[in-house]
Amino acid sequence: MKNRLIVTLFRYGCILAITGAVILFGTDCYVKATAAAAITSEDEVTGSEEKADAILVLGAQVKADGQPSLMLKERLNTGIQLFKDGAADRIIMSGDHGSDDYDEVNAMKSYAIDHGVPSECIFMDHAGFSTYDSMYRAKEIFQARSLVVVTQEYHLYRALYDGMAFDLDVQGVPCDTAVYKGDTYRKSREVLARVKDAGFTLFKPEPAILGDTISLSGSGDVTNDKS
């Protein structure tokens, strides 16, 4: 009797494990397949006659000295080049500024200004705490309808999928030119993150912070929080 119970529990455990794996990897494949067609190149984006409302650069780690990490610099360099080549005349820097001692977005804006982008063309989304939040706020706060999204390719699928869920016209430009420490871990974790965002986009919960709308037709300096 005891052996039969063990066999039954093992059998059900295997069924649950297989079902979970199918859901996990099936959802991951669905998100990637849905977003894949929107991934394009810098040349294709800048060669288009229709310009996006903004270039959205997604945040990443900032070092203790306030300088962008290598991963973030790659995103910024691509976004800056897209701006200079005319993909859009506005940039949204969306990242984590959840505390006084950690600030991705001011570091991103300062870097772009140092590389020739006018301050008034750069908007900061101080509450881009997640990819989902960044895409939600791009539409609801900045009232964007079309975006060129910049991040590493493994991350781009989820960002574009989220944008599509909010009926945004999105194109994505990957910025992969380096191998980053911890890359394998990040890419593995991204599978779970895609599944999470697939669930979020079904129900569309509000981000932790929303706020008043900010017009992209005005100056990006309205988002400045430092003199």
Side-chain angles (χ1 to χ4, degrees):
M1 186 71 176
K2 185 178 179 180
N3 288 341
R4 184 179 300 173
L5 177 61
I6 292 172
V7 170
T8 301
L9 290 174
F10 178 76
R11 184 179 298 150
Y12 280 116
C14 289
I15 292 171
L16 287 172
I18 292 169
T19 302
V22 169
I23 292 171
L24 177 69
F25 291 106
T27 303
D28 177 58
C29 289
Y30 176 75
V31 169
K32 292 180 71 175
T34 301
I39 297 178
T40 185
S41 66
E42 291 184 52
D43 290 342
E44 289 180 352
V45 169
T46 55
S48 173
E49 292 184 4
E50 291 189 15
K51 305 305 179 186
D53 291 336
I55 298 158
L56 176 64
V57 181
L58 296 172
Q61 183 183 23
V62 169
K63 297 178 183 178
D65 62 0
Q67 293 301 305
S69 60
L70 173 60
M71 178 177 283
L72 184 52
K73 280 184 179 179
E74 291 213 312
R75 298 181 188 185
L76 290 165
N77 290 337
T78 300
I80 291 165
Q81 193 60 52
L82 286 166
F83 173 86
K84 291 180 177 180
D85 289 342
D89 61 4
R90 294 289 186 270
I91 302 179
I92 301 172
M93 303 297 191
S94 184
D96 185 348
H97 187 189
S99 63
D100 292 336
D101 58 357
Y102 186 76
D103 182 356
E104 292 177 359
V105 291
N106 274 288
M108 294 164 75
K109 180 162 185 172
S110 295
Y111 185 91
I113 291 171
D114 290 345
H115 287 77
V117 181
S119 176
E120 62 269 19
C121 296
I122 307 169
F123 292 76
M124 291 185 288
D125 175 11
H126 297 268
F129 302 127
S130 69
T131 305
Y132 175 85
D133 287 2
S134 293
M135 304 310 295
Y136 194 118
R137 289 174 54 83
K139 180 176 182 179
E140 296 300 326
I141 300 299
F142 295 98
Q143 303 287 287
R145 294 164 298 177
S146 59
L147 294 168
V148 177
V149 184
V150 179
T151 184
Q152 279 71 29
E153 185 171 354
Y154 78 90
H155 182 210
L156 202 50
Y157 295 101
R158 177 161 57 106
L160 294 173
Y161 183 87
D162 288 352
M164 292 174 180
F166 292 117
D167 297 320
L168 288 165
D169 180 4
V170 286
Q171 291 179 287
V173 177
C175 56
D176 302 80
T177 62
V179 176
Y180 316 103
K181 185 178 180 180
D183 225 18
T184 301
Y185 167 73
R186 272 189 294 271
K187 289 178 180 178
S188 299
R189 187 181 63 179
E190 186 65 16
V191 174
L192 295 174
R194 291 186 195 119
V195 175
K196 172 184 69 69
D197 276 21
F200 273 32
T201 55
L202 284 175
F203 301 101
K204 296 185 173 61
E206 288 187 357
I209 298 175
L210 276 175
D212 297 331
T213 59
I214 299 169
S215 174
L216 290 171
S217 63
S219 171
D221 288 338
V222 300
T223 62
N224 291 355
D225 64 330
K226 296 181 179 180
S227 56

